[in-house]
Amino acid sequence: MAKLVHLKTVYDERGSLTVLDRIDELIPFLVKRIFFINAFLDVVRGGHRHRNTKQAIICINGTCTVSNHDGKKQEDLVLDSPEKCLFLETYDWHIMHEFSSNAILLVLASESFDVSDYIYEPYPDVSA
């Protein structure tokens, strides 16, 4: 299942500084790709899981909700601070939605882009 961790953040009168230090210890995979998502209100991103790729997602500005299903359990996680980092495993089928107008997601991925890595079919509804 997806795992939410809190990143080290330092506050002072100038604002805050969130640090991804000792990244080899913090991120449970070698980062091979980094990308940003700027979204608009009322859009849904994602809608897939992966064969090989693991991801770490940080909403560095604004807010969004990540709905995640690991094949057994569905949960919604709100990313509303750059202090929160959500780790997604390969089997985590996810969508990102409910974006604020200023949302920016930073995604660290374990693999380079490969269209054959994506599985778009959601898991069956386990409550049925």
Side-chain angles (χ1 to χ4, degrees), residues 46-58:
H48 60 267
R49 60 186 168 104
H50 295 275
R51 288 179 170 74
N52 300 306
T53 302
K54 296 178 182 182
Q55 296 178 321
I57 301 175
I58 304 166

Side-chain angles (χ1 to χ4, degrees), residues 33 50-53 111-118 120:
R33 181 169 66 126
H50 295 275
R51 288 179 170 74
N52 300 306
T53 302
E111 306 297 325
S112 295
F113 177 77
D114 178 355
V115 70
S116 67
D117 185 48
Y118 288 71
Y120 292 99

Side-chain angles (χ1 to χ4, degrees), residues 64-95:
C64 81
T65 299
V66 179
S67 295
N68 185 68
H69 195 305
D70 68 356
K72 298 176 185 170
K73 180 182 172 189
Q74 149 81 48
E75 71 178 328
D76 293 328
L77 300 141
V78 176
L79 299 180
D80 55 2
S81 165
E83 294 178 36
K84 294 180 179 179
C85 180
L86 179 63
F87 293 112
L88 297 175
E89 296 291 336
T90 57
Y91 51 79
D92 287 321
W93 193 92
H94 59 283
I95 60 169

